[in-house]
Amino acid sequence: MADSKLSALTETVAIDGTELVYVVEDPSGTPVSRRVTVANLLASLALELPVSILSFGAVGNGTTDNRAAIQAAVDYAAAQGLSTVSIPDTLLGFGVSLAAHPVVGDPYYCAITVPNGVRLECKGFLKLLANQGVSGKSNAVVMNRQISVGGDENLSFDGLVIDGNNLNQTVPCSGAVVLRARGVKYTRCRVRNMFGNATSGLGESVHFSASLSTDVSWLDCVAECTGGSSASGFSANSSTNVRWIGCTARGMTVANGFTHNACRNVTYVGCRSYLNARTGFNSEVSQDVVYNSCIAGSESSTAATYPYASGTSLGNTDHGFTINGSTNVGLIGCISRKNSQGANWSNAAFGYIVGGEYTDNAYGLAFSDTTATLVRISGNPKVSGNATKDLAVPSPLTGNYHPPGNVGAPSVPSSTVALTNPYPYAAGVYVLGGTVTAIAVAGIATGLTSGLVHVPAGATIMLTYSSAPTWTWFID
């Protein structure tokens, strides 16, 4: 059958699935016409359209249990090779309950499981109905399908919003959880008010979690508690290549904002963690971890902090950054303010601090053991104005500890003799020991007698002392 102009085609009054129609495409400037049946054309179009949970009976009134309807939509999409399941906008949310995981059953309970290759696209939100979860079990709202063996891959969550309804729960429950998964991406997702009541174990529910997984990323996601009891925000355990970019954790009333344990290749970029009951950012027994331009605590004027009034203290109750047993951890250009400790290092092998600000805490930088000697400092971080101590070191190091310098230090000049910074860059100078009564920079008294001072390029530093101190110099 030769191709014909549309105007020359035979008029069809009733079209059925077997009827041939012409489709014209112009991929390279030369029109090409193709013949296809109506049934095939409709099927091809369906592959491009998301599967709506409304088509499977979901009702967004905040009270109806939509667990079965949403799962049916997800299962249908997976079976038909369709990639996207749509959760449409709703003011009251799509209520969901928990049931035993459909593949492994007890002890895992969840509302929705997502298999390989399926993408959840959300404009509305899921709301956990009251009194869900099974005591002593692992409860979550959304999980992946193959959590025991094999695992899932290429999972995508775009705009997923979960309300944990924690004021109406008595059993801890997590939000969005993946286990034994590869290639998982969360984009602009928000999980709030997941009930949790402990700092470890099943009671430490989390808003977002990845365990035994690899290549997992969260982009512009938020974990928040606006009332009631919630444990931790973001968590990764025994996972590799995990990344948080532009994410926020706030208001956790029991535990941490961000936490990871036994992970490798961990990256945080531009993340914020504030008003959490314990640590803003917690790293435990992990390797190759980078915090870049992250903010722990601070004030409402220096972090994105709606709905708090300007000037409100947003400190975490414990540390801004905790590095416990991790290796090769870097803090690059980070800010930690209004916390108990700006950054605390313990049992940590190797690490580096580049620039940043650790001010207005009880302690600025605190090292709990002799591994402090393995943490290099450069980039002139601002470490001042901390109520108890700017730099705290353990007793075995007291009196002889310096942050490891990265340039040769000039000899300490005689008392009241000004020394010009010999480097063409601003330098951080850490002064320790001796009997110093004054430190002046560029002829201006600093009010300090020890600790870290900043000496601009071409400026002078002068010490007044009766017994000479020692010092370490470091620059970028």
Side-chain angles (χ1 to χ4, degrees):
M1 180 177 179
D3 290 345
S4 301
K5 294 182 179 179
L6 289 175
S7 59
L9 294 175
T10 303
E11 180 180 359
T12 302
V13 178
I15 298 179
D16 61 29
T18 62
E19 186 71 42
L20 289 174
V21 296
Y22 285 77
V23 178
V24 179
E25 63 176 355
D26 189 5
S28 60
T30 302
V32 177
S33 60
R34 304 186 186 281
R35 292 183 293 274
V36 64
T37 67
V38 171
N40 288 337
L41 179 61
L42 293 176
S44 297
L45 290 174
L47 291 174
E48 304 298 326
L49 299 174
V51 176
S52 173
I53 64 172
L54 298 180
S55 300
F56 292 81
V59 179
N61 59 13
T63 58
T64 298
D65 184 0
N66 296 283
R67 179 181 56 79
I70 297 173
Q71 190 63 63
V74 170
D75 292 345
Y76 173 81
Q80 298 299 317
L82 307 176
S83 62
T84 303
V85 175
S86 173
I87 299 176
D89 195 11
T90 173
L91 180 63
L92 300 176
F94 291 91
V96 291
S97 63
L98 302 185
H101 192 284
V103 176
V104 301
D106 189 84
Y108 297 97
Y109 290 79
C110 58
I112 311 299
T113 60
V114 181
N116 280 340
V118 170
R119 172 175 175 261
L120 279 186
E121 178 186 73
C122 307
K123 292 182 173 62
F125 67 96
L126 304 179
K127 179 180 180 181
L128 186 62
L129 297 175
N131 300 315
Q132 296 300 312
V134 180
S135 180
K137 307 298 182 180
S138 294
N139 302 297
V141 177
V142 176
M143 296 187 73
N144 60 305
R145 186 69 57 85
Q146 301 297 334
I147 63 174
S148 59
V149 294
D152 294 292
E153 59 186 14
N154 299 327
L155 304 177
S156 180
F157 303 89
D158 191 347
L160 174 66
V161 178
I162 299 174
D163 182 352
N165 193 16
N166 62 351
L167 294 176
N168 294 300
Q169 310 296 337
T170 58
V171 176
C173 180
S174 293
V177 173
V178 291
L179 176 61
R180 292 186 174 88
R182 301 174 298 280
V184 182
K185 186 175 182 179
Y186 294 92
T187 305
R188 294 180 298 278
C189 297
R190 180 184 295 263
V191 179
R192 59 178 178 258
N193 299 335
M194 302 308 306
F195 179 69
N197 56 12
T199 59
S200 62
L202 294 174
E204 188 189 5
S205 61
V206 292
H207 290 61
F208 293 92
S209 174
S211 297
L212 298 171
S213 297
T214 187
D215 296 325
V216 183
S217 64
W218 293 264
L219 174 64
D220 193 21
C221 295
V222 177
E224 62 181 347
C225 176
T226 60
S229 179
S230 286
S232 288
F234 294 87
S235 173
N237 293 281
S238 302
S239 295
T240 302
N241 298 337
V242 290
R243 297 169 293 278
W244 290 270
I245 302 174
C247 295
T248 299
R250 71 178 182 96
M252 301 300 130
T253 60
V254 178
N256 307 303
F258 293 83
T259 184
H260 61 260
N261 178 275
C263 292
R264 186 165 184 170
N265 295 337
V266 181
T267 304
Y268 298 83
V269 179
C271 295
R272 300 178 295 271
S273 188
Y274 54 94
L275 290 178
N276 299 295
R278 296 192 73 185
T279 294
F281 297 90
N282 182 52
S283 175
E284 296 183 16
V285 200
S286 296
Q287 184 173 345
D288 300 328
V289 180
V290 175
Y291 297 95
N292 193 327
S293 304
C294 294
I295 300 175
S298 198
E299 289 183 346
S300 56
S301 59
T302 55
T305 53
Y306 174 84
Y308 306 105
S310 178
T312 301
S313 174
L314 303 173
N316 299 286
T317 303
D318 205 343
H319 308 152
F321 296 86
T322 295
I323 316 301
N324 183 8
S326 294
T327 300
N328 196 30
V329 179
L331 303 181
I332 303 174
C334 294
I335 296 174
S336 185
R337 299 183 62 211
K338 304 292 185 178
N339 308 289
S340 174
Q341 296 184 13
N344 178 279
W345 301 68
S346 61
N347 303 310
F350 307 107
Y352 52 96
I353 299 171
V354 181
E357 179 179 339
Y358 303 86
T359 62
D360 301 319
N361 307 285
Y363 293 84
L365 298 176
F367 300 92
S368 299
D369 53 47
T370 55
T371 56
T373 59
L374 301 176
V375 179
R376 297 186 64 85
I377 300 176
S378 63
N380 294 328
K382 184 178 181 181
V383 187
S384 62
N386 298 286
T388 304
K389 189 174 288 187
D390 290 332
L391 181 63
V393 297
S395 56
L397 296 178
T398 300
N400 60 13
Y401 169 75
H402 290 288
N406 64 355
V407 293
S411 299
V412 176
S414 299
S415 178
T416 70
V417 175
L419 171 76
T420 300
N421 180 357
Y423 298 101
Y425 307 100
V429 180
Y430 187 78
V431 180
L432 182 70
T435 306
V436 180
T437 56
I439 302 175
V441 174
I444 300 173
T446 64
L448 300 174
T449 59
S450 64
L452 182 67
V453 295
H454 300 279
V455 182
T460 61
I461 179 171
M462 184 178 73
L463 310 180
T464 301
Y465 60 83
S466 58
S467 174
T470 59
W471 62 15
T472 301
W473 287 57
F474 47 93
I475 61 176
D476 284 334

